[in-house]
């Protein structure tokens, strides 16, 4: 029996050793394939096949170690050097990597962005075609990468916060596909130099305060492009600089670890223990991965030989992670030289084959277009002998282009039409390709399926005979109470939102009723408030992130513009980010609380619906509409409307305000006045004065700036009055100019003008303080009356 037991133990030990050896060699294979991918990728850029390249060489071993502990349900919010991590987790192939490098617009070839993002910007699918969320709890999940340095940090905070939210919400049937009791970690990667960005520090502080499972991996190669880290980071070390954040007993904070980027075994040991603890405790962690190298420098746009010393370059060669990994394998008897050589050879062949397949997949449909266009033009040339030489020249130029682009095809067709405008076959094919290219490059800014907020049917407010007349904030308070009782996925947070129920009492008493984990306070940190909302929304929850005043939206504008507004577009519908940002603005006194930067917002946030309700009943209807869809929305409530009296509807949860549908508030015959929000009260006052002098004003509330007037309500009014003025609190050339452009140019409203259209805006400066400052800084009733009387006199 003793001998048999010993034999069993030896057999298990041999099997265990063999599995370990095979795993190590598989990791070495992935490292070699990734390195070869980087080398080949750089050549493709330098030869002109690709436009720009940025690669993850030097980080292979660290990312392989990290990937070992990335489990189903986890999320990654990373940056553009994580190719080895993606290869190691099986979430990307080398062929797909090259397809994206070539900007292949076929979603089957580039499944991360359909050619809309530059190389190494990864994503996985979060939603089905009908807008329903996938079983994210049982998938490895990649939130769509963005290029702005440290831009991934705010989103990472939200992705980690979602785990805490799910754990507090409990394991219910409606959430089971989104989380496994909050056990998921958000893996966030960042280059050492980018830790100098404010995004990094705000996120680390917020994660440390809230205690969320955020694992930050800092790749430290000693430089930020050409600038050494001694000029970037206090003490020349991000982990030393953060030492005061280290969590201790009975404190919050973050666990900090230092590892070497070439130490395969050491990293695996540290990562495994630390990440397992994080799943249990939700304590965030920072892994400072030091002694990373950059074999090819920062990117294809420059050479690191210009700023690194000879000694530094020699050190990088000696301490290259793959070289050290190879040495470790041999030293531990896990493989001989010839076996590693075979792996290396096979890795190079695989990378080359994958590259070739990616190029073929990219170029084949373009060459098919070229062949068809050549055939059509050749036919036309026979029909027009006098122009045949010119056309044959175009054909030759297109045929001899070894690497044609779609634009070359379009330019050839357009030039042909210049030569022979009557060529119907050319015109028809040109329009056909235009339509096709629009679908390829210009679609999916918003949801296009059943989860489009633009497809929500209007439901008007209804009132009982004994409906109360209440303050505007009371309507919102009642609405949010009903909403939180009926939809478990909704959360609200921001400065003063929790305990005091927001500065205008919209959430008064609701934290105590619905729980601290659903309605809660944050620090004064607008950037990461937006980040919290982004991550929660990507994970299938319905966050309402509050920015206390519209002026302070600027702090959160970068993630809104670069991340939220582009998510659906840059993934071609693979991901949706149904974040609602709640704020308030207009008509409060003081430079920093009275701003109306609507033109900036409109132009920075295409991809986000922008709602400007004039009262709180309208706001409730717009919230419902946004919550029915999967698109993000910005709700700008009227700051001076919370104490104004409104009638309380009996169908608060069911009313729906259609987006992009203006409302005629007052019918008139002589002039159309277009405005929104708080300004409408000033407009109404002016219209009453004008009515006394015989001027009949039609007042239109646009209701939403994006989308804008889809049924052409304003145009119909202009056809009747033949005069129009756009009135707005933004600066000259801001939102009023936007509305002017929409109606007069896009809707061809200029055709119906009897006098020149006008805009009336605030002054170019910030509003001066006090009631007089407000009066003389923004449009007032007297200004409106005077301007309209001048228009009527023309």
């Amino acid at each position: 029996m003793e001998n048999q037991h010993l034999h069993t133990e030896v057999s298990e030990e041999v099997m265990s050793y063999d599995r370990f050896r095979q795993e190590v060699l598989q990791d070495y294979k992935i490292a070699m394939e990734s390195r070869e991918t980087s080398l080949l990728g750089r050549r493709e850029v330098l030869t002109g096949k690709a436009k720009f390249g940025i690669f993850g060489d030097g980080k292979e071993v660290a990312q392989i170690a990290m990937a070992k502990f990335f489990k189903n349900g986890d999320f990654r919010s990373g940056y553009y050097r994580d190719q080895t991590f993606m290869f190691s987790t099986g979430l990307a192939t080398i062929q797909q990597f090259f397809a994206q490098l070539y900007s292949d617009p076929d979603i089957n070839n580039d499944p991360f962005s359909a050619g809309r993002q530059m190389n190494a910007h990864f994503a996985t699918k979060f939603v089905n075609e009908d807008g329903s969320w996938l079983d994210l709890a049982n998938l490895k999940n990649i939130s769509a990468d963005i290029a702005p340095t440290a831009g991934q940090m705010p989103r990472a905070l939200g992705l980690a916060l979602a785990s805490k939210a799910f754990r507090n919400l409990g394991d219910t049937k409606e959430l089971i596909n989104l989380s496994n009791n909050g056990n998921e970690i958000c893996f966030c990667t960042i280059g050492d130099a980018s830790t100098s960005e404010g995004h990094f520090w705000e996120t680390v502080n917020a994660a440390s305060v809230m205690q969320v499972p955020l694992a930050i991996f800092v790749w430290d190669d000693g430089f930020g492009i050409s600038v050494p880290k001694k000029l970037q980071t206090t003490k020349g070390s991000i982990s030393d600089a953060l030492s005061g954040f280290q969590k201790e007993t009975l404190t919050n904070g973050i666990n900090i670890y230092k590892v070497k980027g070439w130490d395969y075994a050491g990293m695996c040991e540290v990562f495994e223990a630390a990440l397992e603890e994080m799943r249990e405790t939700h304590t965030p962690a920072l892994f400072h991965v030091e002694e990373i190298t950059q074999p090819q420098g920062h990117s294809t746009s420059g050479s690191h030989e210009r700023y690194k010393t000879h000694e530094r370059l020699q050190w990088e060669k000696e301490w290259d992670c793959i070289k050290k990994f190879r040495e470790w394998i041999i030293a531990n008897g896990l493989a001989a030289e010839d076996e590693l050589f075979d792996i290396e050879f096979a890795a190079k062949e695989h990378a080359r084959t994958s590259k070739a397949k990616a190029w073929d997949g990219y170029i084949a449909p373009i060459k098919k277009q070229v062949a068809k266009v050549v055939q059509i033009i050749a036919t036309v040339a026979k029909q027009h002998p006098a122009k045949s030489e010119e056309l044959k020249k175009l054909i030759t130029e297109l045929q001899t282009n070894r690497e044609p682009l779609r634009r070359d095809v379009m330019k050839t067709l357009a030039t042909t039409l210049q030569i022979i405008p009557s060529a119907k076959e050319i015109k028809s094919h040109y329009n056909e390709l235009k339509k096709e290219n629009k679908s390829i490059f210009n679609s999916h800014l918003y949801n296009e399926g059943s989860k489009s907020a633009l497809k929500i049917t209007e439901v008007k407010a209804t009132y009982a005979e004994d409906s109360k007349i209440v303050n505007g904030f009371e309507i919102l308070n009642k609405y949010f109470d009903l909403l939180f009782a009926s939809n478990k996925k909704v959360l609200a947070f921001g400065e003063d939102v929790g305990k005091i129920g927001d500065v205008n009492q919209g959430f008064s008493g609701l934290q105590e009723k619905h729980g601290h984990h659903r309605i809660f306070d944050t620090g004064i940190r607008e950037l990461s408030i937006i980040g919290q909302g982004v991550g929660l929304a990507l994970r299938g929850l319905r966050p309402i992130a509050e920015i206390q005043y519209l002026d302070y939206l600027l702090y959160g504008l970068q993630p809104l513009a670069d991340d939220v507004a582009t998510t659906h577009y840059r993934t071609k519908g693979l991901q949706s980010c149904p974040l609602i940002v709640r704020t308030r603005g207009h008509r409060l006194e003081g430079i920093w609380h009275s701003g109306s930067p609507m033109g900036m917002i409109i132009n920075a946030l295409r991809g986000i619906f922008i709602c400007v309700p004039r009262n709180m009943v309208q706001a409730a209807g717009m919230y419902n509409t946004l919550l029915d869809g999967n698109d993000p929305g910005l709700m700008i409530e009227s700051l001076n409307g919370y104490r104004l009296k409104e009638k309380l509807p009996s169908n608060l949860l069911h009313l729906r305000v259609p987006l992009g549908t203006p409302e005629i508030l007052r019918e008139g015959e002589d002039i159309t006045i277009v405005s929104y929000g708080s300004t409408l009260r000033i407009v109404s006052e002016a219209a009453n004065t004008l009515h006394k002098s015989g001027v009949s004003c039609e007042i239109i509330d646009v209701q939403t700036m994006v989308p804008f007037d889809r049924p052409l309500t304003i145009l119909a009014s202009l056809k009747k009055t033949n005069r129009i003025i756009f009135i707005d609190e933004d600066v000259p050339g801001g939102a009023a100019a936007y509305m002017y452009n929409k109606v007069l140019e896009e809707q061809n409203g200029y055709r119906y003008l009897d006098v020149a259209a006008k805009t009336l805006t605030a002054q170019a400066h910030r509003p001066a303080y006090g009631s007089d400052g407000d009066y003389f800084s923004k449009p007032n009733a007297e200004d409106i009356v005077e301007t309209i009387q001048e228009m009527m006199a023309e």
Side-chain angles (χ1 to χ4, degrees):
M1 288 293 293
E2 287 182 5
N3 287 340
Q4 185 177 350
H5 179 66
L6 178 63
H7 177 73
T8 301
E9 285 185 341
V10 170
S11 296
E12 288 178 352
E13 186 177 333
V14 169
M15 287 176 65
S16 178
Y17 170 80
D18 190 56
R19 282 195 297 269
F20 171 69
R21 176 180 177 277
Q22 290 303 318
E23 183 177 343
V24 169
L25 294 184
Q26 174 65 17
D27 288 345
Y28 184 72
K29 172 178 173 286
I30 293 170
M32 286 302 306
E33 288 175 346
S34 185
R35 177 64 59 87
E36 188 64 20
T37 297
S38 296
L39 296 171
L40 291 174
R42 183 180 180 86
R43 290 175 203 161
E44 292 301 273
V45 175
L46 297 180
T47 59
K49 276 188 172 181
K51 297 293 290 184
F52 180 79
I54 195 158
F55 305 104
D57 45 314
K59 300 170 179 64
E60 293 91 350
V61 174
Q63 290 186 9
I64 287 169
M66 176 179 72
K68 287 181 177 297
F69 310 105
F70 189 68
K71 297 183 177 180
N72 284 350
D74 287 343
F75 282 76
R76 168 190 161 275
S77 179
Y79 87 139
Y80 40 71
R81 297 189 190 274
D82 289 351
Q83 69 196 51
T84 311
F85 174 85
M86 293 296 293
F87 297 155
S88 191
T89 54
L91 296 173
T93 67
I94 297 172
Q95 185 172 333
Q96 291 166 346
F97 179 90
F98 277 107
Q100 191 177 53
L101 184 70
Y102 299 136
S103 69
D104 191 327
D106 188 334
I107 194 75
N108 297 303
N109 296 339
D110 168 15
F112 320 119
S113 71
R116 296 180 177 190
Q117 296 226 77
M118 73 177 192
N119 77 294
H121 284 60
F122 301 106
T124 55
K125 189 174 183 178
F126 289 179
V127 292
N128 288 307
E129 284 67 23
D130 64 0
S132 61
W133 251 254
L134 297 175
D135 186 11
L136 302 183
N138 292 300
L139 297 171
K140 293 181 171 72
N141 305 292
I142 306 297
S143 61
D145 294 332
I146 56 175
T149 53
Q152 69 273 30
M153 296 299 302
R155 182 207 314 149
L157 175 69
L159 290 168
L161 175 61
S163 291
K164 182 176 181 178
F166 282 122
R167 188 167 286 183
N168 288 325
L169 287 169
D171 221 356
T172 62
K173 185 178 180 181
E174 61 185 305
L175 303 176
I176 198 167
N177 69 311
L178 300 177
S179 175
N180 178 21
N181 196 35
N183 295 331
E184 306 82 21
I185 292 173
C186 176
F187 286 56
C188 180
T189 61
I190 186 170
D192 180 66
S194 295
T195 64
S196 298
E197 296 275 14
H199 291 46
F200 175 84
W201 290 91
E202 189 170 320
T203 297
V204 170
N205 178 62
S208 299
V209 169
M210 293 192 297
Q211 295 293 276
V212 295
L214 176 60
I216 303 170
F217 296 82
V218 179
W219 311 132
D220 185 354
D221 58 25
F223 288 84
I225 306 182
S226 66
V227 180
K229 66 179 181 179
K230 68 180 180 181
L231 299 179
Q232 305 250 18
T233 309
T234 300
K235 301 181 180 180
S237 166
I238 190 59
S239 53
D240 290 351
L242 283 171
S243 58
F245 282 72
Q246 175 63 54
K247 181 176 172 61
E248 298 174 355
T249 305
L250 302 180
T251 72
N252 55 21
I254 186 170
N255 287 325
I256 300 172
Y257 305 90
K258 286 187 179 184
V259 293
K260 304 299 183 185
W262 45 264
D263 183 5
Y264 174 82
M267 285 188 290
C268 289
E269 183 179 356
V270 171
F271 293 168
E272 182 175 27
L275 294 169
E276 196 58 40
E277 179 186 345
M278 185 184 293
R279 293 189 194 281
E280 294 295 323
T281 67
H282 279 185
T283 303
L286 180 134
F287 301 94
H288 185 187
V289 186
E290 299 180 291
E291 299 187 11
I292 293 286
T293 65
Q294 276 193 335
Q296 298 186 109
H298 174 76
S299 71
T300 55
S301 63
S303 169
H304 60 160
E305 286 83 3
R306 290 185 298 162
Y307 53 85
K308 289 179 182 175
T309 65
H310 174 73
E311 290 74 21
R312 171 69 191 191
L313 292 169
Q314 286 300 116
W315 179 89
E316 289 196 10
K317 286 181 180 179
E318 179 62 28
W319 290 89
D320 182 287
C321 65
I322 293 181
K323 180 176 182 293
K324 288 296 175 185
F325 191 17
R326 194 179 199 279
E327 291 172 357
W328 179 83
I329 290 171
I330 292 172
N332 284 276
L334 296 171
E337 286 270 3
D338 57 347
E339 189 173 3
L340 294 183
F341 178 81
D342 289 342
I343 291 172
E344 291 157 4
F345 180 81
K348 290 180 179 181
E349 284 300 306
H350 177 58
R352 291 192 188 102
T353 302
S354 297
K355 175 181 72 72
K357 288 180 179 177
W359 177 254
D360 288 343
Y362 165 71
I363 202 69
I366 301 178
K367 288 195 170 181
K368 188 175 179 181
Q369 281 190 10
V370 168
K372 185 167 184 178
V373 166
V374 165
Q375 182 183 15
I376 294 173
I377 296 176
T379 301
V380 171
K382 290 178 182 177
Q383 297 167 353
H384 298 80
K387 302 290 185 178
S388 63
E389 287 305 314
E390 286 183 82
L391 296 178
K392 286 178 182 178
K393 185 178 178 182
L394 287 177
I395 289 172
T396 301
E397 288 175 356
L398 192 58
Q399 284 181 317
T400 55
N401 187 341
R402 295 179 60 190
E403 296 165 7
L405 300 172
R406 283 174 171 80
R407 71 177 186 184
D408 298 319
V409 174
M410 298 302 288
K411 284 182 177 182
T412 301
L413 287 170
T415 304
T416 303
L417 284 172
Q418 292 296 317
I419 297 170
I420 307 177
S422 61
K424 292 181 179 179
E425 306 97 318
I426 300 295
K427 184 67 174 175
S428 174
H429 193 57
Y430 183 63
N431 289 335
E432 183 183 321
L433 289 182
K434 258 190 171 181
K435 185 178 179 180
E436 179 182 318
N437 289 325
K438 185 176 178 64
S439 173
I440 290 173
F441 297 104
N442 308 127
S443 65
H444 292 84
L445 182 58
Y446 302 96
N447 275 265
E448 298 177 356
S450 58
K451 277 294 186 177
S452 168
L454 302 181
K455 296 182 179 180
I456 306 304
T457 303
E458 179 180 14
V459 178
K460 293 184 180 295
T462 57
Y463 300 91
E465 289 185 9
D466 58 347
S467 290
K468 295 179 181 178
I469 304 295
V470 298
N471 291 314
F473 79 85
E474 294 178 271
I475 287 177
L476 282 180
N477 186 263
K478 178 65 173 176
Y479 166 71
F480 286 134
D481 188 13
L482 294 170
L483 175 64
F484 275 75
S486 65
N487 190 338
K488 190 172 184 178
K489 293 182 179 180
V490 179
L491 297 89
F493 49 88
E495 299 157 18
D496 298 316
V497 169
K499 187 172 183 178
I500 71 169
D502 92 45
V503 291
N504 295 103
Q505 302 298 284
F507 285 100
S508 179
L510 300 187
Q511 184 186 70
E512 186 175 353
K513 185 173 183 179
H514 297 288
H516 288 67
H517 59 283
R518 295 191 66 198
I519 302 170
F520 52 94
D521 291 312
T522 69
I524 301 175
R525 46 176 183 78
E526 288 82 4
L527 174 79
S528 52
I529 289 172
I530 297 299
Q532 287 178 206
V534 176
L536 290 166
L538 289 172
R539 292 192 62 178
L541 293 170
R542 298 309 302 253
I544 300 174
E546 180 160 318
I547 302 298
Q548 199 162 92
Y549 297 109
L550 182 60
D551 300 79
Y552 301 114
L553 188 74
L554 271 71
Y555 283 91
L557 196 64
Q558 188 275 325
L560 283 172
D562 289 334
D563 204 351
V564 180
T566 65
T567 294
H568 198 71
Y569 170 78
R570 73 180 191 272
T571 63
K572 203 174 184 182
L574 296 176
Q575 296 181 5
S576 291
C577 186
L579 165 66
I580 296 176
V581 178
R582 180 189 183 220
T583 187
R584 54 194 64 83
H586 321 307
R587 291 289 169 185
L588 189 68
E589 296 175 0
I591 287 179
W592 312 117
H593 292 80
S594 54
S596 300
M598 295 301 301
M600 176 194 70
I601 290 168
I602 292 163
N603 290 296
L605 303 184
R606 300 297 171 90
I608 298 177
F609 292 132
I610 299 173
C611 303
V612 284
R614 66 182 182 274
N615 60 39
M616 304 313 156
V617 171
Q618 296 297 94
M622 291 177 186
Y623 278 118
N624 286 332
T625 301
L626 289 172
L627 287 165
D628 280 351
N630 265 0
D631 291 301
L634 173 64
M635 186 72 65
I636 305 172
E637 297 166 10
S638 294
L639 188 51
N640 61 0
Y642 293 113
R643 298 286 173 180
L644 297 180
K645 302 298 182 181
E646 297 184 48
K647 201 172 183 180
L648 179 65
S650 55
N651 64 335
L652 272 176
L653 266 188
H654 302 289
L655 68 94
R656 301 287 187 275
V657 173
L659 305 186
T661 302
E663 184 175 351
I664 299 174
L665 303 183
R666 176 175 182 153
E667 293 192 355
E669 302 295 328
D670 296 326
I671 188 166
T672 300
I673 306 176
V674 181
S675 192
Y676 60 90
S678 298
T679 307
L680 287 164
R681 288 189 278 279
I682 310 297
V683 169
S684 181
E685 180 186 343
N688 289 336
T689 300
L690 287 162
H691 180 72
K692 293 174 184 176
S693 63
V695 179
S696 175
C697 301
E698 184 143 298
I699 302 174
I700 298 181
D701 174 9
V702 301
Q703 298 205 94
T704 62
M705 299 299 283
V706 179
F708 184 87
D709 191 8
R710 299 170 66 222
L712 308 184
T713 302
I714 301 170
L715 180 65
S717 175
L718 177 56
K719 287 179 180 179
K720 176 176 65 173
T721 66
N722 305 118
R723 295 178 182 87
I724 191 166
I725 184 170
F726 302 91
I727 303 175
D728 170 51
E729 293 186 13
D730 199 0
V731 296
Y738 163 80
M739 294 188 289
Y740 184 103
N741 166 262
K742 285 286 184 181
V743 176
L744 298 180
E745 182 183 348
E746 290 189 17
Q747 299 180 8
N748 292 319
Y750 70 91
R751 295 177 178 175
Y752 307 100
L753 292 173
D754 283 349
V755 301
K758 294 273 189 181
T759 63
L760 182 59
T761 71
Q763 299 298 313
H765 53 71
R766 291 291 181 100
Y769 179 59
S771 296
D772 275 349
D774 175 75
Y775 182 86
F776 292 106
S777 299
K778 292 189 172 183
N780 55 61
E782 289 70 35
D783 288 337
I784 297 170
V785 169
E786 182 180 342
T787 304
I788 290 177
Q789 285 178 336
E790 290 173 356
M791 293 176 71
M792 295 303 299
E794 283 190 38

